[in-house]
Amino acid sequence: MEFKYKAIKSKGEIVKGIISADNETKAMAQLKKQNLTPVSLKPVKPLFSRTARIKTSELILFTRLFARLIRSHVPVINSLNIIRSTIKDRKFITIISAVRNDLSAGRSLSQALKKFPGVFSDFYVSAIEAGEDSAK
């Protein structure tokens, strides 16, 4: 679950952002670990269901383009940006953006894809995990 927060740094500076946690209590604890004093914390309402469906043809296009870009040594985040510009389905564009944002926040690709079980099957995510494990 994601929470939108407003907090104060130790020097009094106000910061805003989004944090992922299982519940509000854990989100507050994470902010405190980062030496932030929470002022407000609200659950982020998703733009669409996490179980949203995407056309198979769009997923195939995504997978083929992604594989080509990775084989060409294009960084993952850049690959997602490139693919996002070729996709026509607005829901899928939003999903790709969310995956990219999770990667930027330090999550693995498989963790980011797991958030969308209606789009990326367990098999698909497992294949990505296997690739991540073999790259270590």
Side-chain angles (χ1 to χ4, degrees):
M1 182 173 214
E2 291 186 327
F3 296 90
K4 189 175 188 178
Y5 70 86
K6 186 177 189 181
I8 300 173
K9 286 185 173 183
S10 58
K11 295 181 181 179
E13 181 184 346
I14 294 176
V15 293
K16 296 178 183 179
I18 295 178
I19 191 165
S20 293
D22 293 335
N23 56 46
E24 198 169 321
T25 306
K26 289 183 179 181
M28 291 284 243
Q30 284 182 26
L31 291 171
K32 288 178 183 177
K33 280 183 184 177
Q34 296 174 20
N35 294 323
L36 297 173
T37 305
V39 174
S40 68
L41 186 68
K42 298 175 187 173
V44 174
K45 294 179 184 175
L47 299 173
F48 53 90
S49 166
R50 296 283 185 194
T51 58
R53 299 277 180 212
I54 300 298
K55 289 181 183 177
T56 303
S57 60
E58 289 286 328
L59 184 59
I60 291 169
L61 174 65
F62 168 82
T63 304
R64 285 181 178 166
L65 287 172
F66 192 63
R68 282 188 195 141
L69 290 165
I70 296 301
R71 274 192 302 254
S72 300
H73 304 288
V74 176
V76 175
I77 292 176
N78 292 353
S79 296
L80 292 173
N81 287 334
I82 292 166
I83 293 169
R84 203 175 57 148
S85 67
T86 66
I87 299 292
K88 292 180 179 31
D89 185 324
R90 289 188 183 273
K91 282 190 293 186
F92 202 20
I93 291 169
T94 305
I95 290 168
I96 293 169
S97 296
V99 169
R100 188 196 67 213
N101 292 342
D102 279 356
L103 291 172
S104 296
R107 290 181 187 82
S108 69
L109 180 59
S110 60
Q111 289 172 334
L113 297 180
K114 277 182 188 175
K115 289 185 173 183
F116 303 98
V119 177
F120 304 104
S121 68
D122 289 340
F123 178 78
Y124 194 101
V125 173
S126 293
I128 297 296
E129 282 178 329
E132 290 171 339
D133 289 343
S134 70
K136 291 180 182 176

